[in-house]
Amino acid sequence: EETQASSCRGMGRAMERLVTWGVALLAVAFLLTPAHSSHRVSASRLPGKLGVRGGAFRGGGGGRGGGGGGSGDQTPSGDDARHQRPSEKWGALAMAGAIWGDIGTLLARHGRREEALTAFKLGLQVAPEDWPARPRLMTTLGMLLRDMGPEYLPDALLVLRKACQASPDDANMWWNLGTTCYMADLPNDAVDAYTRACDAAGSNWEGIAPILNNLATMLMDQIHRVPDPGDKYSLLQTAIACLKESVTREPGAACTLVNLASALWTNVTVHHNQKNPPASNNPGTKVVNAPPQMGYIPIQYETAEEKKQVDEVSAVLGWALEVVPRDWANVDQLWIKRGVALLAQGEVEDAARTLIVALERGAEASLGLSDHQEPGAAARSRAFPLQWWVTVTHFLGTALYRLKVDHEDERLVHEAITTLLDVCPRHPEVWAEIGRSMLRLGMAEEGLKELTTALKYAEECFPPEGKWPGRAALLHALGNAYGMNSETDRAIQAFREALAAEPNLASTRFLLARSLAENGEEENALDELETAVKQGLWVSDRLMQGPAFDDLKDHPRFISIREQMQKNSQ
């Protein structure tokens, strides 16, 4: 019996050596076999700083030391599979699994991802179920599947979930699962996975900073999915806390700074909205409505808390601009937000100069000029959307108005106007905003000229039968410019055309009524005022007491109109 047992042990060792040498020979043959062209694809890259709803995202790790994911440029690594090298305890099958993992790594690095996929699967087939490095090999397989396209995401999720179940205390595995859940549009699962990653990592783990960033990103995304304002506020504050902790641990992480700036920006907006809901028909509102992607921010804060919040936003934006790459896709939006934040702080000169830089960067991107790229590449990587031109022009006009009124800085006003006219695209929306800015600056003739040019661009860009949403607003501004230049008949015509395009513009109807009153058409003026009041119009007493309405102030209909306006204001 002892002889038979010894013989069996000898045969077992011989079988293990045979498997080991067989796998090694297969590996050499596999690597020496030329790849078919159908398998040659671009080098595998894990998700990096992805543009997501509300900010930048940082790809999952998986590296041996927990670092991966910071740059988002890692390839699936066989080091994960070799985290614990096979010993005598695990034998040849574990060694075979590790070898197949190494083969998969080499293939992935050379762009042969389909073959790498086969190698990793073979490694898992031969590796023992209780081999400690098996979950790492599963994670590497899941990362490769994740990188191969949306159709592979279900398989990647399945593999990564099994890896997390097998090794629930490994923060890297939960990190990778969270990233994959995000890519599969499973926000709740992503939040759960990132929370588990943070729990597994512990507060002192150096790799926790990007996980906190990703968790905060998903929480910001959840804000748009929950209906309760209290839940929204709670999610926002938790996201801000995570991002601040992440920045504390990794101060130079550009995407985390960008996310923190966005979260703080949202916080200012939410706080101001709770106190001052924007009034669309109120000409005296202190809130500037910006395009949807910018949100809106109070241009004059009123309390010490608001001042602190806006100062913090501005500081983080300035910090982000110091560390993000010059050609990063969203850097231009940072310049815009920084300019608006400075404007909210009352730093109008710095705001104007920052927004001028944003304009010049927009022109650079449009022309495809860059110090670091071939012509055209910059424009493709960071396109400057049309609405951003409108946004920059609007806020720059606001800054210039305050510069002129409060600081009497005509030199910077002239420099900014020159830049606007030189670099802005010849589009009616942009040119209309330039004209409106000039009107606010008291440049009536210049504003009328640019608004007329904007109307010309509109006629060139849009056929007569086409509907351009900005036409009514442009005609409103044009009527205002005619009024400032004492061309009352033309002002009336422009206002009527604006109302024909958009009948519910109560503010336009008010200006039409004022022009009609100035022209002596009192009954028509009262008719338009009554219609505007029914549409919810409210204007200040100062505007209603202007010289245009001197002859109407004692008219019964006019008195009734003012009473109704008071009700509208409540």
Side-chain angles (χ1 to χ4, degrees):
E1 291 179 356
E2 290 179 359
T3 303
Q4 185 177 3
S6 176
S7 175
C8 288
R9 285 195 296 271
M11 290 179 64
R13 285 193 294 271
M15 182 63 69
E16 288 182 355
R17 285 194 294 271
L18 179 62
V19 170
T20 300
W21 282 105
V23 169
L25 289 172
L26 282 172
V28 172
F30 200 76
L31 292 175
L32 291 177
T33 302
H36 299 294
S37 59
S38 61
H39 294 305
R40 289 196 176 275
V41 294
S42 59
S44 175
R45 301 230 178 239
L46 298 184
K49 299 170 186 174
L50 304 175
V52 299
R53 298 174 289 276
F57 200 80
R58 303 179 65 182
R64 178 173 41 187
S71 66
D73 289 337
Q74 295 82 2
T75 54
S77 174
D79 289 341
D80 295 341
R82 293 187 286 118
H83 179 69
Q84 181 174 341
R85 294 302 301 172
S87 62
E88 290 296 325
K89 179 179 180 180
W90 307 111
L93 293 179
M95 176 64 77
I99 291 174
W100 279 117
D102 289 343
I103 294 172
T105 298
L106 291 172
L107 289 168
R109 287 175 179 170
H110 287 83
R112 297 164 63 175
R113 289 186 288 187
E114 293 287 348
E115 293 162 295
L117 191 61
T118 301
F120 287 129
K121 288 180 178 180
L122 286 171
L124 288 171
Q125 286 177 6
V126 300
E129 289 291 333
D130 57 347
W131 178 36
R134 183 181 177 88
R136 294 268 178 160
L137 183 58
M138 294 170 68
T139 299
T140 309
L141 172 60
M143 293 162 70
L144 177 63
L145 287 166
R146 181 180 70 186
D147 188 43
M148 291 177 68
E151 65 273 18
Y152 290 91
L153 283 177
D155 292 337
L157 284 169
L158 181 63
V159 171
L160 290 171
R161 284 191 170 116
K162 288 182 178 179
C164 290
Q165 291 171 0
S167 186
D169 295 327
D170 192 311
N172 269 315
M173 293 184 187
W174 288 107
W175 180 2
N176 280 299
L177 177 58
T179 302
T180 309
C181 288
Y182 156 70
M183 296 176 69
D185 197 23
L186 298 171
N188 292 329
D189 291 351
V191 170
D192 290 342
Y194 285 131
T195 303
R196 291 290 299 270
C198 290
D199 292 340
S203 59
N204 295 322
W205 186 52
E206 63 181 9
I208 198 172
I211 298 178
L212 288 168
N213 169 80
N214 287 10
L215 175 58
T217 301
M218 298 312 303
L219 292 172
M220 291 292 293
D221 181 66
Q222 291 286 75
I223 290 174
H224 306 290
R225 300 172 185 259
V226 297
D228 184 69
D231 292 342
K232 289 178 182 287
Y233 185 78
S234 177
L235 287 170
L236 176 60
Q237 300 311 309
T238 304
I240 291 174
C242 289
L243 290 166
K244 286 184 175 180
E245 181 66 21
S246 182
V247 168
T248 300
R249 292 172 177 273
E250 196 177 9
C255 61
T256 307
L257 284 170
V258 171
N259 282 344
L260 177 57
S262 296
L264 292 171
W265 183 285
T266 303
N267 194 41
V268 175
T269 302
V270 169
H271 184 271
H272 194 84
N273 279 358
Q274 291 172 347
K275 294 171 43 184
N276 306 290
S280 59
N281 284 329
N282 184 355
T285 181
K286 294 183 178 180
V287 176
V288 174
N289 289 295
Q293 71 271 21
M294 299 299 299
Y296 75 87
I297 189 169
I299 293 303
Q300 293 179 347
Y301 43 70
E302 300 171 357
T303 67
E305 183 179 359
E306 284 183 333
K307 179 181 184 302
K308 181 180 178 181
Q309 290 174 342
V310 174
D311 290 348
E312 188 176 22
V313 171
S314 185
V316 174
L317 286 167
W319 187 2
L321 283 170
E322 291 177 2
V323 299
V324 299
R326 186 174 184 275
D327 290 325
W328 184 59
N330 297 317
V331 70
D332 299 314
Q333 190 173 3
L334 286 184
W335 281 101
I336 298 173
K337 288 190 172 184
R338 169 71 166 163
V340 178
L342 287 167
L343 184 57
Q345 288 181 285
E347 303 291 340
V348 290
E349 182 174 349
D350 289 343
R353 295 194 181 282
T354 301
L355 292 169
I356 289 173
V357 171
L359 283 172
E360 292 170 344
R361 288 185 60 83
E364 174 188 290
S366 297
L367 294 172
L369 301 177
S370 173
D371 296 336
H372 310 290
Q373 295 179 320
E374 294 296 323
R380 290 191 296 273
S381 65
R382 44 173 256 269
F384 208 63
L386 173 66
Q387 198 58 52
W388 288 16
W389 288 104
V390 179
T391 299
V392 178
T393 304
H394 173 83
F395 285 119
L396 180 56
T398 303
L400 295 178
Y401 172 77
R402 291 174 59 177
L403 268 175
K404 186 172 182 178
V405 173
D406 300 337
H407 302 273
E408 299 181 355
D409 192 340
E410 296 284 352
R411 177 185 53 80
L412 186 53
V413 170
H414 177 75
E415 176 187 339
I417 292 295
T418 301
T419 302
L420 282 169
L421 297 175
D422 284 347
V423 305
C424 285
R426 271 49 178 171
H427 189 280
E429 285 190 47
V430 180
W431 229 250
E433 193 58 52
I434 293 175
R436 282 190 285 265
S437 296
M438 289 179 171
L439 294 185
R440 288 197 295 271
L441 291 167
M443 303 166 62
E445 292 185 6
E446 295 87 343
L448 177 59
K449 175 184 175 183
E450 304 311 333
L451 289 167
T452 304
T453 302
L455 189 60
K456 175 185 174 183
Y457 291 153
E459 292 170 352
E460 294 174 354
C461 293
F462 303 96
E465 64 276 6
K467 291 184 178 180
W468 174 48
R471 179 175 175 82
L474 172 55
L475 289 166
H476 171 105
L478 192 59
N480 199 23
Y482 281 128
M484 292 174 66
N485 281 280
S486 301
E487 299 182 53
T488 308
D489 290 337
R490 287 190 171 186
I492 291 172
Q493 180 183 353
F495 290 137
R496 289 194 186 282
E497 290 181 11
L499 290 169
E502 180 50 68
N504 295 322
L505 291 176
S507 57
T508 304
R509 202 170 292 279
F510 169 76
L511 293 178
L512 171 59
R514 189 173 66 179
S515 297
L516 289 168
E518 289 174 349
N519 214 33
E521 302 179 44
E522 296 178 359
E523 291 300 320
N524 289 335
L526 290 169
D527 290 342
E528 297 296 344
L529 282 174
E530 287 174 343
T531 302
V533 167
K534 290 177 182 178
Q535 294 173 335
L537 176 71
W538 171 81
V539 297
S540 65
D541 287 340
R542 181 180 60 83
L543 291 176
M544 292 300 292
Q545 293 171 358
F549 299 119
D550 280 346
D551 295 337
L552 292 175
K553 61 184 179 181
D554 296 325
H555 197 290
R557 290 175 65 190
F558 189 77
I559 294 172
S560 176
I561 288 167
R562 295 196 61 180
E563 290 174 352
Q564 185 60 46
M565 278 191 182
Q566 289 298 321
K567 294 178 181 179
N568 289 346
S569 68
Q570 297 172 358

